[in-house]
Amino acid sequence: FDGYPSGVQTRLLIPVLPILVWLVLLGMQEKFGHKRPLLPKLVVGLMLLAALAHNGWRVARPLHSSVEADGHGLVDPSQGANWLAENAEAGTIIMAQEPLVRHIHFQLPVVGVAGGQPAAVARIIAEFSPSYLFIGPEVHGSPRQLEARGQVLLSLARSQPEVFESVFEDRAESIHIFRIRQP
């Protein structure tokens, strides 16, 4: 959907498709109306059946449970938000991968983790004084699995118990929240 070579994102044209189909059908009716009056009705009927089948499949198998054969699928970025809402005070700073996505769901200030290297994490802690480290699956990764950056962060947090205290863990969803002890 990058729109190469025009630069227009094709996905933005999807809402225009019904209008395009309607105009094509009107043109077909004008051109072939007296010869094939059922053709536009047949096309619209097939489109409606396809739409109902697709939407029925989505109702039967919700998006959050759709996982591809290679393990990739939709990750729910709100995982862990309930725990933070119950335990973190307003204005508490959270350190996490994908800070914008997490901020939207946590409704708290979130700072990003640059690669998960110990020196970078220490610099972020010194600069922003976050209270919690959130580690979870990345939104465009695999559900219930940590990507490489998440695994590096998790091993770093577990290797420094004097800095990172585990306060919440959901092994089924690979969600880990650590309280950060300020030096």
Side-chain angles (χ1 to χ4, degrees):
F1 289 121
D2 64 359
Y4 178 81
S6 70
V8 175
Q9 292 186 10
T10 310
R11 65 186 171 90
L12 299 176
L13 299 176
I14 290 175
V16 179
L17 286 178
I19 297 169
L20 177 66
V21 169
W22 182 255
L23 291 173
V24 167
L25 291 175
L26 285 176
M28 289 172 61
Q29 182 68 34
E30 185 70 30
K31 177 88 173 152
F32 305 111
H34 60 284
K35 297 177 186 172
R36 297 183 181 163
L38 291 178
L39 186 61
K41 293 177 184 174
L42 180 64
V43 171
V44 169
L46 289 174
M47 286 177 55
L48 286 174
L49 284 175
L52 289 173
H54 177 264
N55 291 338
W57 182 78
R58 284 294 181 200
V59 168
R61 186 169 187 222
L63 286 174
H64 68 273
S65 66
S66 296
V67 178
E68 298 171 7
D70 66 354
H72 281 75
L74 296 174
V75 173
D76 182 4
S78 68
Q79 292 286 342
N82 290 340
W83 189 91
L84 287 169
E86 293 170 6
N87 296 288
E89 297 175 15
T92 298
I93 299 174
I94 311 296
M95 184 167 54
Q97 316 111 287
E98 303 176 310
L100 178 60
V101 173
R102 300 302 180 181
H103 166 70
I104 291 169
H105 290 278
F106 296 165
Q107 295 296 305
L108 293 167
V110 179
V111 294
V113 179
Q117 299 307 317
V121 171
R123 182 185 56 75
I124 293 168
I125 291 173
E127 186 175 345
F128 297 103
S129 300
S131 299
Y132 293 99
L133 168 63
F134 176 88
I135 303 170
E138 295 184 17
V139 173
H140 298 292
S142 300
R144 297 173 290 284
Q145 296 178 13
L146 293 178
E147 303 293 322
R149 183 170 50 166
Q151 291 174 359
V152 167
L153 281 170
L154 184 59
S155 65
L156 172 69
R158 286 183 174 161
S159 71
Q160 297 180 6
E162 67 283 355
V163 178
F164 301 101
E165 173 192 0
S166 179
V167 292
F168 177 80
E169 184 173 44
D170 183 349
R171 289 184 184 257
E173 296 294 331
S174 292
I175 302 292
H176 307 273
I177 300 176
F178 293 88
R179 179 174 289 118
I180 299 174
R181 296 183 180 125
Q182 299 298 325

